[in-house]
Amino acid sequence: MYSRRSFSALLPFSLLLLLLCLGGRCCPQASAGRLDLEDDLTDPELEEEEGLEYMDPTPPQAFPNAEETPSCSVKLLQHDFAHTVGAPPVAVNYTLPENCKWNRAVLEFAAACEGEQNDRIAAVWLDGVEILRTSTAKPTTQVGVFWRVRKDVTHFAAMLVPVASSARTLTVMLENSLDDYFKGIYHVNVTIDFYGRGLSEPRTGKLGFLRLPSSRGEDEEEQQASGFVPVPPRYGGEGGEAAQPAALGLPTEETKLRSLLERPADMIIPVANKKKGADSGFWFRIDRETEIRGSRLRIPRNAYKAVLEVCVSYHGDDEFWYANPPDSYNIQNNIPSRRGNWAFRELVATVDGLYAGSVLPFPVVFPGGINPFFWTPVVAIKAFDLPTYDLDLTPFLGQLLNGRPHTIGLKVSHAISFWLVNANLHLWLDPHLPAVPAMMVKHHAAPTFLSRNANNKFLEGHFQLEAARQARFEGWARSSLGNFTTLIDSHFKYKSSVEYKMQGTLKEVFSQSKYTADVRITEQPNRFLARVINQARYPVKMLTSTASYAGDRMLSQANVSHMLYQFTDVTMNQMRSQNSITDMQVAGGWLQVNGAALSGSATTLQTYQRRDNGRCHTRKVGTQDRGITVDQTNTDCNTMIPDLSTVPE
Ligand SMILES: *[C@@H]1O[C@H](CO)[C@@H](O)[C@H](O)[C@H]1NC(C)=O
Ligand SMILES: *[C@@H]1O[C@H](CO)[C@@H](O)[C@H](O)[C@H]1NC(C)=O
Ligand SMILES: *[C@@H]1O[C@H](CO)[C@@H](O)[C@H](O)[C@H]1NC(C)=O
Ligand SMILES: *[C@@H]1O[C@H](CO)[C@@H](O)[C@H](O)[C@H]1NC(C)=O
């Protein structure tokens, strides 16, 4: 049973850490890079047998209807993650059930935990290809918790079908630690549900809204007979002159667009820590900005499209990188915290050392972050399904298709300890050609512009920062679909302000990332085929105040608002499609410690809106002190979503 006395030694210390972190004063690294917290919201009604269900009210894209039953389902893993620190990840064989016909796949990660425990980072890989990165909830002694994460994994189709020679390996890493205080064991089930009857080829879901004229042609009947069968890869230098395209007739415009924009990749190669994968997970750990990690890969010579999907999370001293002051602030004020190095990080991908794109990560707050009551039972945006970032490497095919090994590198500018980074290289292969001629014709990338301004006096200070970068890549690749030139213009702008007021007891943080990638595809000599514009904006505002009175009494108040905004605009010959997601949370509340007793209160409102060519899906969920106060869904496009980015800093 729960007994507060037994924690009296631990509690004030952990809480001190939490409150000092909120006030920005100091935050020695907690072992798990997280804050631990005992809560005092002793509402007896919450202490039900079945526990508290955590949720993420964001409907995954292309989610199957509730009524739809899977055509087949594979339970891959049932495992208890107890004291797993330093232990290898759990690995099991994966095979697709025989005769399983499908065109959509959904991964389910279901978990339950009773007893006090920290939030932990976890990931699921298939042969080293990351298919989910998730955080656990933050359970406490009083209430057991459970939750389900469902993610559309159709774009990993090439990994879900069996390989001829052997089973694939599914690996799950969840480093958990048990002691006299943290007793929570994570019980986890991993399942993949397959939907549809294989009547059509899988669609990536990313462009599922394209609604190209439906192809009720031979293609579909062929697929019906076989389920989804990806193109077998062809490696360079291994001979085998394949069939010539002549016999197959000319590809239609629809075939070209589907092949370029909608089909899942035919092959996915991990850019991951394969050496250590079986011991400590496939991610690379990055502790400083000088570290460049990556993989040397041989890429099939018949690739006509390449996309690098980057997976990333940040922990330890960089868990709140967007709120970090410069080191000088900590040093001058004798603050032992190592959370510093300013509030800007840029993840950079390279191809043979050549700059290939940047990722500005969305600031994910883990369930134990800032004030855990904010994220109970609705977790922070994307905490259960961490975002990944696509970098289109098609213009680099000219460098990559010579059959020799090439290095894909990953680094994090300005990083401090620690980041977990890996990537999946998605490749689309020509079924009719052994090799695709390709050439990069333009590579222009200016270095990152960065301007910083520090204005501080003792514990008060204002640190402002601006960063920007743009790049242009262009290349052609001539597959049996045609000779396509891909021109990519990308740029980002980043702005940040970290301010300490009132002797450092009040901290105000504002951060804004804006990213655009504009991809134009033309067919030789100069015929427009498609243009895809992707935009993202991630504003964050955080206000924390900490007051300490006599002895070990402290009060902390925090207000956090953050938003994920993504917009995609696709133009083709006769069609235009626009799609956006706005996901916002506004949270406020307080925490108090008085001796060993802790109390708190929090309110969070989440507004999620998905717009799909004029159709809308809006959901509002409000929580207060661990209970749901509002949960409304409508299809009204006029629901107002406040625009955080216009809030003055
Ligand atoms: C995992 O599956 C088992 C067997 O179906 C079930 O009893 C258990 O409740 C599941 N656990 C979770 C966390 O869903
Ligand atoms: C996994 O597959 C390998 C062969 O690919 C086999 O040797 C091994 O026994 C399998 N493991 C399990 C648990 O089925
Ligand atoms: C493909 O198109 C580009 C641009 O029009 C041209 O320069 C190149 O020679 C073409 N490649 C082939 C193999 O035809
Ligand atoms: C912070 O949130 C509280 C609600 O918890 C609200 O009353 C207060 O006005 C907010 N303060 C600011 C500065 O937004």
Side-chain angles (χ1 to χ4, degrees):
M1 249 332 272
Y2 177 76
S3 144
R4 186 168 300 283
R5 282 206 72 81
S6 60
F7 306 134
S8 54
L10 190 124
L11 203 124
F13 175 67
S14 63
L15 201 58
L16 201 71
L17 284 187
L18 173 72
L19 296 179
L20 291 175
C21 286
L22 291 171
R25 293 273 199 75
C26 88
C27 197
Q29 190 175 20
S31 59
R34 301 292 154 65
L35 312 166
D36 46 61
L37 165 76
E38 184 53 42
D39 62 78
D40 192 35
L41 285 172
T42 39
D43 178 351
E45 280 179 27
L46 284 163
E47 298 178 42
E48 289 158 24
E49 287 275 303
E50 66 270 30
L52 182 67
E53 180 171 9
Y54 271 70
M55 61 186 279
D56 176 357
T58 317
Q61 289 199 23
F63 201 81
N65 301 326
E67 318 86 66
E68 201 177 342
T69 51
S71 43
C72 42
S73 193
V74 202
K75 180 151 175 197
L76 294 163
L77 181 94
Q78 178 173 351
H79 190 80
D80 296 336
F81 292 88
H83 191 72
T84 51
V85 178
V90 180
V92 293
N93 285 346
Y94 162 83
T95 43
L96 186 69
E98 270 180 46
N99 300 318
C100 180
K101 307 262 190 285
W102 60 280
N103 53 35
R104 197 193 293 148
V106 175
L107 175 79
E108 181 172 298
F109 182 99
C113 187
E114 288 143 42
E116 191 73 31
Q117 194 45 271
N118 271 320
D119 48 0
R120 307 287 182 185
I121 193 76
V124 181
W125 294 273
L126 256 180
D127 279 0
V129 168
E130 184 172 317
I131 59 173
L132 174 73
R133 191 173 301 191
T134 183
S135 167
T136 67
K138 177 156 182 9
T140 59
T141 310
Q142 290 160 310
V143 198
V145 301
F146 64 97
W147 70 98
R148 286 198 313 169
V149 183
R150 283 177 69 84
K151 175 180 179 178
D152 190 315
V153 291
T154 309
H155 65 292
F156 297 109
M159 300 307 296
L160 300 174
V161 297
V163 267
S165 47
S166 60
R168 294 189 186 278
T169 306
L170 181 111
T171 308
V172 181
M173 180 85 187
L174 195 168
E175 208 171 43
N176 193 25
S177 160
L178 300 183
D179 57 25
D180 289 346
Y181 179 69
F182 291 109
K183 293 180 175 160
I185 294 172
Y186 285 108
H187 310 283
V188 173
N189 291 349
V190 178
T191 311
I192 301 181
D193 292 331
F194 294 91
Y195 294 87
R197 297 284 180 272
L199 292 175
S200 57
E201 198 171 31
R203 309 270 169 86
T204 56
K206 295 193 176 178
L207 293 176
F209 54 87
L210 267 184
R211 279 195 220 95
L212 290 167
S214 110
S215 62
R216 298 220 157 267
E218 311 103 67
D219 261 22
E220 279 205 4
E221 268 146 44
E222 209 177 289
Q223 294 296 342
Q224 189 164 8
S226 59
F228 171 60
V229 181
V231 181
R234 285 173 214 278
Y235 290 90
E238 283 159 28
E241 294 307 307
Q244 287 306 300
L248 297 142
L250 290 175
T252 62
E253 171 125 343
E254 189 198 326
T255 307
K256 291 176 191 175
L257 289 170
R258 274 202 204 291
S259 304
L260 289 167
L261 300 177
E262 260 210 344
R263 285 186 65 233
D266 299 298
M267 185 184 196
I268 309 173
I269 307 180
V271 176
N273 204 345
K274 275 180 259 177
K275 270 188 216 129
K276 288 194 174 167
D279 299 331
S280 54
F282 288 91
W283 38 40
F284 297 110
R285 181 181 156 127
I286 292 182
D287 289 304
R288 56 192 75 83
E289 74 166 325
T290 50
E291 277 177 288
I292 302 176
R293 312 298 299 271
S295 299
R296 261 173 93 69
L297 315 167
R298 210 182 281 270
I299 286 150
R301 300 193 64 183
N302 61 338
Y304 65 87
K305 176 179 173 175
V307 171
L308 188 71
E309 179 187 26
V310 179
C311 312
V312 57
S313 55
Y314 27 86
H315 308 275
D317 294 332
D318 249 356
E319 182 177 344
F320 298 100
W321 57 266
Y322 45 91
N324 282 10
D327 292 345
S328 59
Y329 177 81
N330 292 337
I331 294 166
Q332 283 165 19
N333 293 300
N334 265 322
I335 297 169
S337 172
R338 284 173 292 173
R339 296 184 178 206
N341 213 21
W342 294 81
F344 171 64
R345 306 290 181 263
E346 177 190 1
L347 192 154
V348 172
T350 56
V351 172
D352 293 333
L354 201 61
Y355 172 78
S358 297
V359 169
L360 295 189
F362 171 73
V364 176
V365 182
F366 295 119
I370 306 169
N371 177 346
F373 296 136
F374 288 174
W375 325 117
T376 313
V378 169
V379 288
I381 298 167
K382 288 287 175 189
F384 274 169
D385 177 12
L386 272 79
T388 63
Y389 306 85
D390 285 351
L391 299 173
D392 192 335
L393 299 188
T394 308
F396 290 80
L397 287 176
Q399 316 280 113
L400 295 169
L401 297 186
N402 57 6
R404 290 202 287 271
H406 294 275
T407 304
I408 309 280
L410 300 165
K411 66 171 220 157
V412 183
S413 301
H414 313 287
I416 55 174
S417 186
F418 63 93
W419 290 62
L420 296 173
V421 179
N422 52 213
N424 306 321
L425 181 61
H426 295 249
L427 296 168
W428 284 257
L429 306 178
D430 192 319
H432 307 301
L433 290 179
V436 165
M439 192 176 175
M440 178 160 225
V441 293
K442 194 168 287 162
H443 180 279
H444 170 78
T448 305
F449 160 85
L450 182 60
S451 107
R452 299 191 280 208
N453 180 36
N455 184 355
N456 62 309
K457 209 171 177 190
F458 305 112
L459 284 163
E460 299 192 351
H462 192 188
F463 308 101
Q464 289 163 292
L465 182 150
E466 277 184 41
R469 186 169 204 169
Q470 40 187 323
R472 167 172 276 213
F473 309 133
E474 184 177 353
W476 56 261
R478 204 214 66 206
S479 66
S480 56
L481 289 166
N483 181 0
F484 303 123
T485 297
T486 305
L487 170 66
I488 302 178
D489 280 298
S490 62
H491 61 263
F492 73 71
K493 272 190 184 157
Y494 178 82
K495 216 173 167 177
S496 145
S497 160
V498 174
E499 190 167 8
Y500 296 88
K501 296 174 177 169
M502 320 268 294
Q503 293 301 305
T505 58
L506 184 69
K507 183 176 179 182
E508 280 182 30
V509 171
F510 174 82
S511 147
Q512 163 85 288
S513 310
K514 287 186 183 177
Y515 176 82
T516 304
D518 181 349
V519 179
R520 271 167 284 193
I521 306 171
T522 49
E523 188 168 0
Q524 192 250 349
N526 219 344
R527 207 173 68 83
F528 169 82
L529 201 67
R531 180 177 188 182
V532 181
I533 301 171
N534 275 299
Q535 289 180 337
R537 275 206 328 250
Y538 313 137
V540 185
K541 268 170 72 90
M542 230 158 81
L543 191 82
T544 49
S545 75
T546 315
S548 71
Y549 344 116
D552 51 4
R553 286 184 68 196
M554 275 206 203
L555 176 69
S556 165
Q557 258 178 301
N559 290 48
V560 176
S561 42
H562 61 172
M563 183 170 87
L564 175 122
Y565 171 79
Q566 285 172 324
F567 171 74
T568 306
D569 180 337
V570 183
T571 314
M572 290 165 295
N573 228 354
Q574 305 290 323
M575 279 175 288
R576 178 127 191 229
S577 166
Q578 290 185 327
N579 168 290
S580 70
I581 285 169
T582 311
D583 198 356
M584 186 166 111
Q585 285 175 325
V586 179
W590 55 271
L591 278 173
Q592 189 179 36
V593 62
N594 184 0
L598 172 66
S599 50
S601 178
T603 310
T604 302
L605 181 65
Q606 176 159 2
T607 315
Y608 173 89
Q609 187 172 75
R610 183 166 165 213
R611 280 175 177 257
D612 174 0
N613 293 305
R615 293 187 313 163
C616 293
H617 167 95
T618 307
R619 185 166 174 189
K620 269 187 191 214
V621 180
T623 63
Q624 182 163 16
D625 301 340
R626 297 199 302 205
I628 306 267
T629 50
V630 191
D631 189 350
Q632 294 167 346
T633 301
N634 67 47
T635 53
D636 179 5
C637 286
N638 296 318
T639 306
M640 284 299 292
I641 301 208
D643 186 359
L644 254 184
S645 56
T646 60
V647 176
E649 289 118 73

